[in-house]
């Protein structure tokens, strides 16, 4: 049995030594790379006598300390590093080691993606490149010399500014990069290969010129323009919104096909999953274009929130990730529609983070322990982290928030800090004490607000009673009530809001209640007639609301806050579907309200598409005590059919008027029209009508945008199988050589509701376009299958067995991807007895597999223990 050590936040101590400078030389050869690393080490703790350097999978060749060549008896070499006696304040360490990038399937450290050498060092990949003090509070000035074949690697990149190039003998060349700004080693990057590129320039607010370049496989250059436009918009936005300017002469982005995550903010040299760079109208959906814009922005924004001010240790991850997600959300809202963006963000939060927070892997946004830090790049650290920042933004208001950010940048630039320093910055401008608010950082699970009201006509008062229901944590301990800003309104029958007046609570910005107590009774005065309640406007706090007094039809028709209007439809949809699942009739008032929104001509097109989406399977599963996917899907399809039958003619007419097959523009209205059209087509496809499937088929072959074609193909797959095979074959033939499009193909097949999906997925593993060493392909084929509720939870249990096989198989190659896949078992505690037995066997089988990674071990044991 191997050891899986837990690391605790409470055990953090500053590093006894630090590395002031590091000069690296890489000699890249075909099957291995030689690394020479010269570090200047400085002692920070005068009592320290022994230096620990991290290092994994390294072939150590030579080691000098202060120019003395060390023999093997002068230090200790272990699996995970070197231990050497070092009793001096300053030292120069020189190390030569060899690494094997082609054999690196974990894609951490230096590895090869296609023909390209590239790195991924966050969080702890640098120790797979050379021996180092691999922790984010050690900040170092790096220089990088790269030597490689001119023919194989005409492009050689690293962090910072280019300082020199030279041609060498034997067809080799050399480049020298120097990064003037100290950084933790997780931000180190290197890229070498034969790459195409597009270039541009940006002139900063102080007039400095920055050279911008995006590198990709040759032939894909034309697909980089959207990413380049997004980069320039991000640079401009950070100057306008935060006064933050870029600080190097160059900003390079490289797109690679094999990448564990979406993208990485390495200083001056971002490395991206090609999915978040490459796009053109033929091959990318509207969602892909939006995703590129926001991920480019996210990584750019890290330059200030993450790189210049970094994390003291990995428990502080939300310091950079939550904050940077908040910043990219605001950017996307400014570039596109604020409401659309907010609804998408809230949807993502509830479908991923709320689910995580109620399951076995729940953790606070600032975790206090981990086995494998890679498992903590989660929806909680990211999306809930961003909501916590957003609450502070709501409390402070736009202007004070900006001042608080200025305080943060002024005081902590160049430092490795924690969320405490961020909170100190916020507190410096906050109208309220944030002490209790800090619980959002240390507690887990989602609170529910139980809200009721009482109207007192005599005194024209409305009493709002709010109780915070605080769930126990994963250790079954009680937790404390939160402080939060709750935006509310009391509405007159035309949808206008009464001004809020109350002596019982801190009211901020007119309509925000600062809620601190577990139970609250708030009397609002000056309310002439019983008002309609509008709660948690804009989703001002990341909580569930339970209130039986909400008038959904009213809110769907009259509420001016887009979020609450959407939410009314969403909650009404849930109520309707759950009644149907319990054998009830379809609620006629829901059908009418739905129809009213459908036919509301004043409604923004994209918003209409969002509000007309029925509650998802995930949403409904989340609410079940025992998972029953079949009954959810049955109710969903039935409701779709009822709606489609009732509004068939209206819908068909709308589809006709929205359909614009040659328009591939990506402005809000064009995307809104496609989204609404696809949604409506889905509604009427549920009727199984020949003429509608013929229409859908026509859209598939005729429309020029990938959004419409993919969505039509998906509908054919699920509702018109007789037409699907021809379409799928056509699609496959067109795109079999374009891996980013093949991801969509695999994902569509693996998400199918048709029977036989498991067999199909198994067969697709031997498709020439599939490769289980490429994370995107694993996610699109195996990951999509694991997220396909009908197939995964099939009563046979074969879905569980298949995914367990894949977790084990992929863990041997890439633990990070395997543990992502293992998350599919998170609903274990909520299964029926029979299913639980089946899944339980698979979980035990994984757990007992020899040489299991920390990554998978941590996830699987949490799931097993939760039961
Ligand atoms: N720093 C992360 C990338 C990362 C994550 C590296 C985990 C190593 C391990 C990067 O800034 C990031 O957050 N990327 C996201 C996309 C972003 C838009 C939320 C990702 O890769 O999913
Ligand atoms: Zn990030």
């Amino acid at each position: 049995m191997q050891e899986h050590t837990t690391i605790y936040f409470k055990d953090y101590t500053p590093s006894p030594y630090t590395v002031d400078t590091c000069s690296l030389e890489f000699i890249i050869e075909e099957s291995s790379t030689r690394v020479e690393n010269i570090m200047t080490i400085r002692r920070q703790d005068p009592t320290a006598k022994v230096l620990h350097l991290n290092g994994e999978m390294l072939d150590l060749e030579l080691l000098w300390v202060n120019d003395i060549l060390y023999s093997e008896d002068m230090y200790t070499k272990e699996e995970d590093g070197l231990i050497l006696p070092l009793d001096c304040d300053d030292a120069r360490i020189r190390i030569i080691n060899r690494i094997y990038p082609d054999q690196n399937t974990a894609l951490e450290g230096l590895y090869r993606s296609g023909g390209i050498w590239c790195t991924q060092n966050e969080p702890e990949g640098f120790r797979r490149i050379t021996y180092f003090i691999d922790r984010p509070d050690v900040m170092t000035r790096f220089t990088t010399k790269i030597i490689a074949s001119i023919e194989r690697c005409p492009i050689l990149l690293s962090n910072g500014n280019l300082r020199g190039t030279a041609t060498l003998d034997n067809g080799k060349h050399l480049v020298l990069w120097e990064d003037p700004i100290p950084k933790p080693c997780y931000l180190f990057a290197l890229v070498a290969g034969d790459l195409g590129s597009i270039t541009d320039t940006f002139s900063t607010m102080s007039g400095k010129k920055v050279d911008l370049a995006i590198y990709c496989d040759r032939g894909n250059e034309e697909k980089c323009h959207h990413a380049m436009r997004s980069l320039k918009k991000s640079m401009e936005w950070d100057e306008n919104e935060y006064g933050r300017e870029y600080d190097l002469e160059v900003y390079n982005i490289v797109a690679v096909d094999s990448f564990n995550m979406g993208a990485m903010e390495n200083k001056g040299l971002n490395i991206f999953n090609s999915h978040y760079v490459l796009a053109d109208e033929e091959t990318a959906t509207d969602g892909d274009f939006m995703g590129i814009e926001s991920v480019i922005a996210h990584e750019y924004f890290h330059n200030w929130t993450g790189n210049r001010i970094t994390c003291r240790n990995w428990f502080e991850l939300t310091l950079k990730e939550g904050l940077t997600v908040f910043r990219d959300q605001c950017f996307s809202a400014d570039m596109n529609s604020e409401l659309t963006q907010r609804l998408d963000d809230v949807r993502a939060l509830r479908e991923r983070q709320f689910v995580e927070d109620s399951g076995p892997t729940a953790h606070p946004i600032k975790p206090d322990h981990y086995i494998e830090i890679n498992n903590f790049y989660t929806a909680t650290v990211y999306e809930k982290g961003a909501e916590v920042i957003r609450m502070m933004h709501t409390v402070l208001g736009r202007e004070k928030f900006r001042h608080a950010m200025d305080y943060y940048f002024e005081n902590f630039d160049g430092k490795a800090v924690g969320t405490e320093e961020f909170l100190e910055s916020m507190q410096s401008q906050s109208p309220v004490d944030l002490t209790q608010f800090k619980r959002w950082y240390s507690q887990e699970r989602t609170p529910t607000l139980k809200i009721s009201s009482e109207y007192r006509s005599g005194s024209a008062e409305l009493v709002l009673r709010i109780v915070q229901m605080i769930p126990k944590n994963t250790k079954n301990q009680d937790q404390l009530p939160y402080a939060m800003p709750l935006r509310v309104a009391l509405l007159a029958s035309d949808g206008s809001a009464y001004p809020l007046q109350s002596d019982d609570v801190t009211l901020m910005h007119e309509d925000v209640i600062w809620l601190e107590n577990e139970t609250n009774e708030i009397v609002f005065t000056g309310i002439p007639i019983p008002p309609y309640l509008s709660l948690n406007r804009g989703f001002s706090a990341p909580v569930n609301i339970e209130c039986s007094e909400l008038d959904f039809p009213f809110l769907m028709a009259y509420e001016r806050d887009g979020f609450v209007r959407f939410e009314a439809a969403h909650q009404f949809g849930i109520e309707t579907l759950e009644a149907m699942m319990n054998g009830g009739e379809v609620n006629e008032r829901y059908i009418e309200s739905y129809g009213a929104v459908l036919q509301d001509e004043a409604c923004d097109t994209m918003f209409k598409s969002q509000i007309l989406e029925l509650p998802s399977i995930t949403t409904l599963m989340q609410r079940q005590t025992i998972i029953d996917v079949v009954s959810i899907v049955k109710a969903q399809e039935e409701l779709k059919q009822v709606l489609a039958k009732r509004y068939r003619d209206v819908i068909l007419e709308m589809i006709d008027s929205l359909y614009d097959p040659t328009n591939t523009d990506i402005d809000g209205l064009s995307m809104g029209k496609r989204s609404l059209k696809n949604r409506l087509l889905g509604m009427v496809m549920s009727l199984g009508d020949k003429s509608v499937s013929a229409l859908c088929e026509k859209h598939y072959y005729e429309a020029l945008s990938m959004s419409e074609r993919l969505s039509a193909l998906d509908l054919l797959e699920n509702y018109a199988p007789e037409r699907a095979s021809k379409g799928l074959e056509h699609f496959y033939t067109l795109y079999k050589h374009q891996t980013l499009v093949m991801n969509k193909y695999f994902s569509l097949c693996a998400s199918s509701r048709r029977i036989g999906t498991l067999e199909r997925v198994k067969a697709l593993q031997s498709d020439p376009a599939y490769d289980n060493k490429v994370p995107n392909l694993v996610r699109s084929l195996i990951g999509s299958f694991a997220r396909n509720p009908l197939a995964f939870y099939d009563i046979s249990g074969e879905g569980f067995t298949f995914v367990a096989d894949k977790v084990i198989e992929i863990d041997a190659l890439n633990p990070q991807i395997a543990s992502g896949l293992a998350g599919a078992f998170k609903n274990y505690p909520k299964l029926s007895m029979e299913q639980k037995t089946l899944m339980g066997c698979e979980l035990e089988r994984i757990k007992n597999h020899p040489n299991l990674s920390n990554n998978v071990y941590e996830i699987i044991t949490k799931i097993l223990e939760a039961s």
Side-chain angles (χ1 to χ4, degrees):
M1 205 64 195
Q2 327 118 264
E3 264 180 72
H4 301 279
T5 323
T6 302
I7 320 280
Y8 294 91
F9 173 68
K10 62 174 169 51
D11 295 341
Y12 170 80
T13 51
S15 179
Y17 299 86
T18 193
V19 186
D20 287 326
T21 65
C22 174
S23 90
L24 295 166
E25 180 190 277
F26 290 84
I27 302 178
I28 297 179
E29 281 152 8
E30 207 42 44
S31 60
S32 73
T33 293
R34 177 186 184 272
V35 184
E36 178 168 349
N37 164 12
I38 302 174
M39 296 177 274
T40 53
I41 305 269
R42 182 164 46 83
R43 184 155 64 179
Q44 304 191 116
D45 170 2
T47 67
K49 303 265 183 295
V50 183
L51 172 68
H52 288 250
L53 295 174
N54 305 99
E56 288 172 10
M57 326 263 285
L58 305 174
D59 272 359
L60 176 60
E61 291 184 355
L62 295 166
L63 163 69
W64 293 260
V65 178
N66 293 328
D67 297 320
I68 298 167
L69 180 63
Y70 270 33
S71 52
E72 278 174 29
D73 56 341
M74 295 166 82
Y75 57 87
T76 315
K77 189 163 164 268
E78 304 197 326
E79 279 263 282
D80 60 354
L82 285 185
I83 304 169
L84 34 122
L86 192 69
D87 193 359
C88 55
D89 293 335
D90 295 283
R92 193 177 116 100
I93 295 188
R94 178 170 169 223
I95 290 171
I96 293 173
N97 66 275
R98 197 165 280 280
I99 50 180
Y100 302 87
D102 318 12
Q103 290 163 33
N104 181 345
T105 57
L107 315 186
E108 287 176 289
L110 180 65
Y111 66 93
R112 277 179 88 172
S113 167
I116 305 164
W117 281 263
C118 65
T119 54
Q120 172 55 40
N121 294 327
E122 185 182 3
E124 298 179 331
F126 194 72
R127 60 188 66 183
R128 293 173 179 226
I129 291 179
T130 185
Y131 290 98
F132 203 77
I133 310 179
D134 186 357
R135 43 186 288 172
D137 56 352
V138 168
M139 294 175 86
T140 308
R141 269 181 298 116
F142 283 91
T143 56
T144 314
K145 188 189 284 179
I146 315 169
I147 297 165
S149 140
I150 301 177
E151 202 196 329
R152 291 290 281 148
C153 300
I155 304 292
L156 299 173
L157 306 171
S158 190
N159 315 91
N161 301 317
L162 185 63
R163 281 293 167 258
T165 60
T167 307
L168 309 175
D169 300 342
N170 330 324
K172 293 195 172 180
H173 66 150
L174 170 162
V175 300
L176 181 63
W177 291 86
E178 177 184 85
D179 186 351
I181 301 175
K183 63 172 180 287
C185 65
Y186 81 84
L187 291 171
F188 173 83
L190 176 155
V191 171
D194 185 8
L195 294 149
S197 67
I198 65 164
T199 60
D200 206 329
T201 59
F202 181 82
S203 163
T204 70
M205 60 196 221
S206 71
K208 279 182 281 183
K209 186 176 139 265
V210 182
D211 288 319
L212 314 176
I214 301 183
Y215 292 87
C216 59
D217 282 340
R218 286 187 185 282
N220 283 334
E221 293 87 345
E222 292 312 308
K223 291 185 179 172
C224 296
H225 296 293
H226 178 68
M228 184 63 90
R229 278 191 294 274
S230 305
L231 174 60
K232 291 169 79 176
K233 288 199 266 182
S234 311
M235 296 178 86
E236 194 181 327
W237 189 88
D238 216 15
E239 292 186 348
N240 294 335
E241 291 301 306
Y242 288 92
R244 295 294 128 193
E245 190 176 25
Y246 187 61
D247 52 2
L248 294 171
E249 295 160 19
V250 292
Y251 194 90
N252 287 322
I253 292 177
V254 179
V256 299
D257 287 332
S258 291
F259 200 72
N260 283 342
M261 301 290 292
M264 179 61 209
E265 69 266 25
N266 316 304
K267 185 83 189 186
L269 177 54
N270 287 185
I271 298 179
F272 271 60
N273 186 321
S274 56
H275 175 69
Y276 286 110
V277 175
L278 305 178
D280 63 18
E281 40 222 29
E282 198 204 335
T283 56
T285 62
D286 294 345
D288 293 338
F289 279 103
M290 301 289 281
I292 290 169
E293 186 179 75
S294 83
V295 179
I296 293 267
H298 178 97
E299 306 312 337
Y300 177 72
F301 298 154
H302 269 315
N303 193 52
W304 279 94
T305 52
N307 300 4
R308 293 191 63 120
I309 306 184
T310 194
C311 300
R312 180 177 296 126
N313 55 55
W314 293 118
F315 297 101
E316 307 285 3
L317 184 60
T318 199
L319 174 79
K320 74 175 177 83
E321 294 303 347
L323 178 56
T324 305
V325 169
F326 172 73
R327 275 152 54 71
D328 83 56
Q329 290 177 347
C330 293
F331 166 78
S332 295
D334 285 353
M335 295 301 115
N336 306 288
S337 146
E338 190 177 340
L339 177 57
T340 294
Q341 182 66 34
R342 186 66 187 135
L343 293 179
D344 284 346
D345 292 341
V346 174
R347 196 219 287 108
L349 180 82
R350 295 200 291 204
E351 299 226 322
R352 306 198 305 122
Q353 200 279 324
F354 279 25
V355 172
E356 177 170 81
D357 222 355
S358 67
T361 57
H363 52 276
I365 65 169
K366 179 176 166 179
D368 55 14
H369 66 280
Y370 59 76
I371 294 178
E372 172 54 60
I373 185 58
N374 268 303
N375 285 334
F376 287 79
Y377 288 75
T378 58
T380 297
V381 167
Y382 276 66
E383 268 79 37
K384 186 178 179 179
E387 291 301 319
V388 171
I389 307 280
R390 184 178 294 270
M391 284 193 278
M392 290 186 266
H393 183 272
T394 302
V395 171
L396 271 66
R398 194 190 147 99
E399 201 174 312
K400 289 208 168 98
F401 184 81
R402 168 65 200 272
H403 291 149
M405 288 300 294
D406 288 347
Y407 178 108
Y408 181 62
F409 294 127
E410 275 154 29
N411 286 280
F412 305 115
D413 187 15
K415 300 201 168 97
V417 301
T419 54
E420 274 303 323
E421 283 82 355
F422 182 80
L423 283 156
E424 173 196 322
S425 309
M426 291 292 133
Q427 186 65 74
S428 77
Q429 303 293 322
S430 172
V432 291
D433 181 2
L434 295 173
T435 311
Q436 186 184 336
F437 182 81
K438 293 182 187 173
R439 288 176 192 158
W440 285 105
Y441 283 86
S442 56
Q443 300 194 142
E444 57 204 26
R445 305 220 185 272
T446 311
T448 297
L449 303 184
K450 281 204 170 161
I451 304 184
S452 61
S453 76
E454 180 196 325
Y455 184 68
R456 296 175 181 158
S457 51
S459 49
E461 287 172 348
L462 188 283
V463 187
L464 208 54
R465 297 203 173 84
I466 307 178
V467 183
Q468 292 195 40
M469 310 289 293
I470 309 295
K472 292 189 173 189
N473 67 13
T474 35
K475 293 187 207 114
N476 212 29
Q477 296 157 329
D478 287 327
Q479 304 189 102
L480 297 166
Y482 293 91
M484 68 181 91
L486 188 69
R487 208 178 274 282
V488 297
L490 304 176
L491 304 179
S493 57
D494 66 347
S496 64
Y498 295 113
L500 296 183
Q501 299 164 10
S502 175
D503 297 332
D504 303 327
V505 73
T506 311
L507 267 175
M508 317 167 174
H509 323 293
E510 286 154 22
D511 59 350
V512 178
I513 298 173
W514 180 241
L515 210 66
E516 287 179 296
N517 299 329
E518 190 159 0
T519 62
N520 306 267
E521 189 167 292
I522 305 160
V523 180
F524 292 103
T525 55
I527 311 291
I529 53 167
Y532 295 92
L533 301 181
S534 166
L535 306 172
N536 206 15
R537 284 183 144 195
F539 199 69
S540 65
V543 298
N544 292 305
I545 302 281
E546 232 179 80
C547 176
S548 59
E549 298 168 30
L550 299 175
D551 189 325
F552 297 138
F554 171 83
L555 294 170
M556 284 170 74
Y558 294 104
E559 169 60 306
R560 295 169 198 181
D561 179 272
F563 172 75
V564 175
R565 187 177 180 203
F566 165 89
E567 186 63 0
H570 181 74
Q571 295 298 334
F572 204 3
I574 292 174
E575 195 181 283
T576 303
L577 284 163
E578 287 182 345
M580 292 167 70
M581 284 155 67
N582 290 325
E585 291 291 297
V586 183
N587 185 341
E588 181 57 30
R589 287 187 73 206
Y590 177 76
I591 313 275
E592 280 162 20
S593 301
Y594 191 94
V597 175
L598 181 71
Q599 295 167 81
D600 177 356
E601 282 173 9
C603 189
D604 170 80
T605 313
M606 184 57 97
F607 177 72
K608 190 182 278 192
S609 172
Q610 290 172 304
I611 194 172
L612 292 181
E613 180 176 13
L614 298 184
S616 68
I617 300 180
T618 313
T619 302
L620 295 162
M621 266 167 70
Q622 163 80 351
R623 296 166 54 91
Q624 291 181 321
T625 22
I626 293 190
I627 302 244
D628 175 4
V629 181
V630 174
S631 81
I632 293 174
V633 173
K634 190 167 154 278
Q636 256 187 350
E637 288 309 298
E638 209 176 301
L639 182 57
K640 233 186 247 175
Q641 286 166 12
V642 171
L643 291 163
K645 242 183 230 153
R646 178 75 60 91
Y647 300 112
R648 188 176 195 273
D649 295 344
V650 181
I651 292 177
L652 288 173
E653 211 170 286
M654 283 174 71
I655 291 176
D656 191 50
S657 75
L658 290 163
Y659 185 47
D660 191 358
T662 57
N663 179 7
T664 55
D665 296 346
I666 50 165
D667 58 284
L669 182 60
S670 302
M671 290 194 289
K673 283 164 74 175
R674 284 192 286 272
S675 170
L676 181 57
K677 188 222 78 183
N678 293 341
R679 170 106 45 239
L680 297 175
L681 196 52
M683 301 293 297
V684 283
M685 279 297 277
S686 72
L687 295 173
D689 185 319
K690 282 235 162 57
S691 67
V692 178
S693 26
L695 179 69
C696 185
E697 191 172 43
K698 175 165 126 72
H699 287 201
Y700 169 71
Y701 287 104
E702 182 182 86
L704 296 185
S705 101
M706 180 53 92
S707 282
E708 296 190 273
R709 300 189 43 221
L710 194 65
S711 156
L713 191 60
D714 186 71
L715 292 171
L716 292 175
E717 164 68 25
N718 286 294
Y719 293 108
E722 72 288 355
R723 297 175 200 260
S725 349
K726 196 172 139 250
L728 283 165
E729 222 177 281
H730 170 261
F731 193 87
Y732 182 89
T733 312
L734 267 181
Y735 297 119
K736 60 182 174 217
H737 299 303
Q738 297 205 46
T739 170
L740 287 178
V741 188
M742 284 312 287
N743 286 320
K744 302 181 196 304
Y745 176 88
F746 289 130
S747 170
L748 189 155
C749 295
S751 310
S752 174
R753 294 183 179 188
R754 276 161 65 184
I755 47 171
T757 294
L758 177 57
E759 279 57 48
R760 219 161 135 201
V761 169
K762 285 183 177 167
L764 283 170
Q765 292 179 104
S766 24
D767 191 285
Y770 184 76
D771 178 352
N772 69 359
K773 289 196 201 63
V774 177
N776 287 355
L777 290 165
V778 174
R779 280 186 285 252
S780 59
L781 186 64
I782 316 297
S784 298
F785 176 83
R787 273 177 275 110
N788 175 344
L790 275 179
F792 182 65
Y793 294 101
D794 183 82
I795 45 155
S796 67
E798 286 171 15
F800 304 154
T801 309
F802 175 68
V803 175
D805 285 343
K806 296 298 120 183
V807 168
I808 292 169
E809 181 184 318
I810 291 165
D811 194 39
L813 298 169
N814 187 330
Q816 229 176 303
I817 298 303
S819 90
L821 212 51
F825 296 107
K826 64 183 178 293
N827 281 324
Y828 178 56
K830 290 175 59 169
L831 296 181
S832 67
M833 281 308 284
E834 303 80 53
Q835 288 218 300
K836 206 167 168 176
T837 312
L838 293 168
M839 191 185 277
C841 291
E842 301 303 333
L843 288 167
E844 291 293 343
R845 182 160 70 91
I846 300 173
K847 191 182 158 189
N848 295 328
H849 194 82
N851 301 319
L852 204 62
S853 66
N854 275 343
N855 309 56
V856 170
Y857 174 85
E858 183 172 36
I859 300 292
I860 296 293
T861 48
K862 277 184 173 181
I863 294 173
L864 280 166
E865 280 161 17
S867 192

